[in-house]
Amino acid sequence: MNFSRTLFPLTMLLLSGCVVGPDYQKPDTALPAKFSESKATSSESVALNPWWESFRDKRLNGLVHQGMAENLTVQQALERITAAEANVIVAGAGALPNVGLSADGNVSGQDGNFIRRSNPTTGASHSESKSINAGLSASWLIDFFGQYRRQREAANASLDAAYDDVNVARLAYLSDLVSSYVNARYYQEALALNRKNLVSRRETLKLTNEIKEAGAASSLDVLQAEGLVNQTLANLPALETGFLQSANHIATLLGVPASTITSSMTKGSAQPMPRYATRTGVPADLIRNRPDIRAAERRLQAATAQIGVAEADLYPSIELGGSIGAARNFNTKVGNLTSWSFGPSLSLPIFNGGALKAQVKIARSDAEQQYLAWKSTVLTAVEEVENAQSALIRDYQTVAAQRKVVDTFDQTLVLARESYRGGASTILDVLDAERNVADARLALASAIRQLARDYVALNVAIGGGAEIGGATVVVSK
């Protein structure tokens, strides 16, 4: 008897420490030692790096910081943290005792007429009964196999993923906003270049008319010069539309009326051009710096914990329950009646058609899918960095070469006009030179825009600035 009294508590203690299901281990995948066009040097955390300041554009800096708190997508992601925090409380509440209180009161009565058989006199009757009942109940499901502990583990991992999702939304906002700003400034530069070309081509048209009046040019020459003027005029509306659409999108990202952004950017500014290089680090740094990779890993941990939740349903469960009840009937001489009960209840799954085992298979399959999703996210991140870095390196080369093209065609146009005035060449030589200059300048503006966009893509790909203005990440327990 003494032996059983000692063994039973020990057995209960051992069982209470048992947690079924696999323990989570961080995933691993083969990654290259370095990116193909950078040195194999690990970089520090870039999550707090304000890389957009490399453009040295105060207006852009102001828009970025304004939108950190105003972007609706980021606000939605922040709100999902609230739901995830509540889920942690729900998951932990299952392992705690459940206590409830109930009470009710009753008043019943009877009214009516009756006739006594012994005395034919009609009489009336009335009766009334009053009672109050109250009860207190408590139950506690003993977590022998760690079901609630696994649920709490899954909920905490999902909460961490919600925090990382905020940073994912913030990165998307940064990419969209800065790229839209780059586009808006490009359209303004293209408009300025086309207006400059318009002035030049009108001068050529005027010169052609003067030479025609002197008898050295034909009507065909005038029509060709006039055609280039009209062609330039036709290019302006599309560029204006491009600027307005980019400015409107910036306003949407900031959650403000479009007119407030359009009016503040109408004055124009130079095209954004990054002044600093970006250190990409090594591929392994992405696992630490990219919030989408961290979120995918947290979801894998949550899915792994759900395997333990499903496996716990295969085992018996014991619930301790008890209740205390009190009742009083005011029509009786007995004042109070109290009842109580206490005892364990055992639930043992015997036959369920294989549903519980199927739930375990589903949980394992979900975890495997989350692992594959994590691995895909890692490989995609490496690809994005490789692509952006390769493009950015060549963008610098393109811009440098295009600047030389513009200088060459500028000199060609000056010589073509002088030669035309002297009668040594035709108007076609001047028009061709003007067309080449206009195309080269627009090509340079387009190359600068592409360089800036690829600079944005590279910094976003390495997770730069994801945690600026963000909430503190909660560590799972």
Side-chain angles (χ1 to χ4, degrees), residues 341-418:
S341 66
F342 175 80
S345 62
L346 173 67
S347 176
L348 177 64
I350 297 177
F351 179 76
N352 49 64
L356 296 180
K357 291 185 178 180
Q359 289 295 333
V360 175
K361 290 183 178 180
I362 292 173
R364 290 187 178 277
S365 177
D366 289 342
E368 182 64 22
Q369 293 176 49
Q370 292 298 334
Y371 167 72
L372 296 175
W374 172 86
K375 187 175 182 179
S376 175
T377 305
V378 172
L379 296 178
T380 300
V382 174
E383 179 189 3
E384 289 174 353
V385 175
E386 292 276 19
N387 291 344
Q389 185 179 40
S390 299
L392 186 59
I393 291 173
R394 286 150 186 82
D395 288 339
Y396 280 109
Q397 299 170 356
T398 301
V399 169
Q402 197 61 43
R403 291 188 191 280
K404 295 180 179 179
V405 172
V406 171
D407 291 339
T408 300
F409 283 133
D410 278 339
Q411 297 174 24
T412 302
L413 177 58
V414 173
L415 295 175
R417 282 178 175 168
E418 291 178 354

Side-chain angles (χ1 to χ4, degrees), residues 235-247:
N235 291 336
L236 297 179
L239 296 174
E240 291 173 348
T241 300
F243 165 72
L244 292 173
Q245 289 177 345
S246 298

Side-chain angles (χ1 to χ4, degrees), residues 133-311:
N133 300 292
L136 179 68
S137 62
S139 63
W140 181 27
L141 182 62
I142 302 177
D143 193 13
F144 281 156
F145 301 99
Q147 181 181 38
Y148 290 116
R149 276 167 283 181
R150 291 301 191 193
Q151 285 181 347
R152 189 166 58 250
E153 179 185 350
N156 275 304
S158 297
L159 175 59
D160 289 346
Y163 275 94
D164 286 320
D165 284 340
V166 174
N167 294 333
V168 172
R170 188 172 286 111
L171 270 184
Y173 152 74
L174 289 172
S175 175
D176 202 355
L177 176 69
V178 180
S179 295
S180 297
Y181 185 85
V182 167
N183 288 339
R185 293 309 189 194
Y186 160 75
Y187 285 118
Q188 286 182 312
E189 179 70 12
L191 277 167
L193 289 174
N194 272 271
R195 289 177 179 133
K196 185 177 181 180
N197 294 335
L198 183 60
V199 172
S200 175
R201 288 172 177 177
R202 280 173 172 166
E203 290 178 355
T204 301
L205 177 60
K206 180 181 178 182
L207 175 62
T208 305
N209 280 319
E210 291 174 352
I211 295 176
K212 178 187 176 185
E213 290 174 0
S218 65
S219 297
L220 178 60
D221 294 336
V222 174
L223 289 174
Q224 288 175 327
E226 188 176 350
L228 279 181
V229 171
N230 292 328
Q231 182 182 8
T232 306
L233 287 170
N235 291 336
L236 297 179
L239 296 174
E240 291 173 348
T241 300
F243 165 72
L244 292 173
Q245 289 177 345
S246 298
N248 292 341
H249 187 59
I250 292 173
T252 299
L253 292 173
L254 300 182
V256 298
S259 58
T260 60
I261 300 299
T262 304
S263 59
S264 66
M265 293 184 64
T266 300
K267 183 179 179 181
S269 179
Q271 282 188 268
M273 182 85 173
R275 300 298 192 273
Y276 310 112
T278 299
R279 292 183 57 188
T280 57
V282 297
D285 292 335
L286 297 178
I287 297 177
R288 169 169 49 91
N289 291 328
R290 288 267 300 225
D292 56 337
I293 295 177
R294 296 199 304 268
E297 197 229 327
R298 296 294 89 195
R299 292 189 177 93
L300 171 59
Q301 182 180 8
T304 303
Q306 288 296 339
I307 297 176
V309 175
E311 287 188 359

Side-chain angles (χ1 to χ4, degrees), residues 88-101:
V88 172
I89 297 175
V90 172
L96 301 176
N98 186 7
V99 180
L101 176 65

